[in-house]
Structures are given as structure tokens and as C-alpha cells.
Amino acid sequence: MKHKIQIIQGDITQQKVDAIVNAANTALLGGGGVDGAIHRAAGPELLQECRTLGGCPTGEARITKGYRLSAKFVIHAVGPVWNGGGRNEAGLLADCYRQSLKLASENGAKTIAFPSISTGAYRFPIESACEIALKTVLQCLETMSGIEKVIFVCFSKSDYEIYQRTFEKLKPSADKKAVQ
Ligand code: APR
């Protein structure tokens, strides 16, 4: 059975998918990390459109065009800053994945690529962030038949290995959820 989920190591701006997800901040006006890479690759029109959105609260996402990216859409998800785990960081991170998939589905995007949201500048521990990401996406895929492929794009080899190992752990349940 073919899984809908793929884990790769690479640069999200190079992915040939309908939508790529950006790990943005509440201002939605660009930044460093993957936010900076996506804005550089998409070109200045992306920032122009972001300026019209009026920001985005943590745990939510907004969708824009992809401009010079091969992706039709960029979905800007605002992950939580890690503050020790006592401020619903896990719930807010899960919401980022749920809201991103919801926006993708509502806009007819069938393939979507995620970075490892909040695990860079926002210091969310990678092991727990990865488990939240995979579990949330697996759960959403049960009811979102329109989404055909989800690619987790890990920038570093170590993140890639953590995602692979975590997915292997979750796979027995994923087998049950694999699509026909
Ligand atoms: N492709 C895929 N993943 C990338 C890329 C890229 N081109 N560049 C960086 N990453 C990875 C990082 O290695 C990390 O694993 O994206 C993950 C998220 O890290 P950040 O980009 O730092 O995002 P985050 O931790 O969510 O912090 C968001 O940082 O860049 C600012 O404006 C952004 O204020 C916001 C904050």
C-alpha cells in the first residue's frame, strides 16, 4: 500500500508540489530560516501579498500564491515559540499542521510539503515536534481524501533521521491508515 507520507532531506523551495508550508511569524513579513528561503525563492510579490493579510496568530495559517516558486501556493503557518512546554506549545504546533492541511484541501492543493515547523529559531525540541507533526498529519489524512501526498522536507540529515525513525515507530498505525 502506498503511503501518502514521504520524508526527504532537502530544500523545501525546490519541491514540485501544489503547496509548500512556510514556518512564519505572526507578522507574516518574512524572516530567516525557511521563511527567508521561501521569500527569496518566491520573489518580492510574496511579501507584497503577505502585507495585505494583516498578520496571523500562532497556531493558525494563511495562504498566498507561490509566485516564482514552482508551488502554486505558499501556506504560512505560525508555530509556537518553545517556552518549556507549559503554554500549550504542543497543541498550537498540531494546529499549524491541521490548519495548513485544511487550507490546502480548501484550495484544491493535492500535494503539500512541510518544513519542521518551530524546530529552528523557535527552539521546539525536534523529537516531540516531529511526533506531533506526523501524528497530526496521519490523523488528518484519514478524513482528507483530497490530499494525495504530504512530503516532510528535513533540512538537516539529523532531522531527516529523526523523522524517519519516528515514522517507522508510528508506521504500524500508518499501515492501517494507508490509502487504497
Ligand atoms: N527547506 C526546508 N527546511 C528548512 C529550510 C529550507 N530551505 N531552511 C531552514 N529549514 C528548516 C530548519 O532547519 C528547521 O528545521 O526549517 C525548520 C524550521 O526552522 P526556522 O526556519 O528557524 O523556523 P521556526 O523554528 O519555525 O522559527 C520561525 O524564524 O525565520 C524566522 O520568520 C521566521 O520568526 C520566524 C521564526
Side-chain angles (χ1 to χ4, degrees), residues 5-75:
I5 290 180
Q6 196 183 0
I7 297 165
I8 66 169
Q9 182 185 350
D11 176 347
I12 200 165
T13 65
Q14 304 303 310
Q15 302 310 310
K16 304 272 179 283
V17 289
D18 296 335
I20 62 169
V21 177
N22 180 21
N25 58 51
T26 53
L28 291 188
L29 299 179
V34 70
D35 197 1
I38 288 172
H39 274 272
R40 278 192 298 279
E45 292 139 309
L46 178 61
L47 182 58
Q48 282 166 14
E49 183 174 356
C50 284
R51 286 191 200 289
T52 68
L53 300 177
C56 178
T58 300
E60 293 188 24
R62 298 290 184 269
I63 193 165
T64 65
K65 295 188 194 77
Y67 299 104
R68 296 178 195 167
L69 288 161
S70 59
K72 191 174 171 202
F73 302 107
V74 177
I75 294 172

Side-chain angles (χ1 to χ4, degrees), residues 106-122:
E106 286 168 356
N107 288 273
K110 299 187 180 326
T111 56
I112 179 170
F114 282 101
S116 185
I117 299 171
S118 281
T119 62
Y122 283 2

Side-chain angles (χ1 to χ4, degrees), residues 38-144:
I38 288 172
H39 274 272
R40 278 192 298 279
E45 292 139 309
L46 178 61
L47 182 58
Q48 282 166 14
E49 183 174 356
C50 284
R51 286 191 200 289
T52 68
L53 300 177
C56 178
T58 300
E60 293 188 24
R62 298 290 184 269
I63 193 165
T64 65
K65 295 188 194 77
Y67 299 104
R68 296 178 195 167
L69 288 161
S70 59
K72 191 174 171 202
F73 302 107
V74 177
I75 294 172
H76 307 263
V78 181
V81 177
W82 180 254
N83 268 297
R87 297 193 187 170
N88 188 30
E89 292 97 321
L92 289 166
L93 184 62
D95 286 346
C96 284
Y97 288 92
R98 262 192 288 275
Q99 294 301 321
S100 298
L101 285 172
K102 182 168 176 287
L103 278 172
S105 176
E106 286 168 356
N107 288 273
K110 299 187 180 326
T111 56
I112 179 170
F114 282 101
S116 185
I117 299 171
S118 281
T119 62
Y122 283 2
R123 303 186 322 281
F124 204 117
I126 180 73
E127 285 81 4
S128 53
C130 161
E131 187 154 349
I132 291 164
L134 289 168
K135 278 183 175 172
T136 305
V137 169
L138 276 168
Q139 191 184 44
C140 290
L141 289 180
E142 283 178 37
T143 55
M144 291 180 150

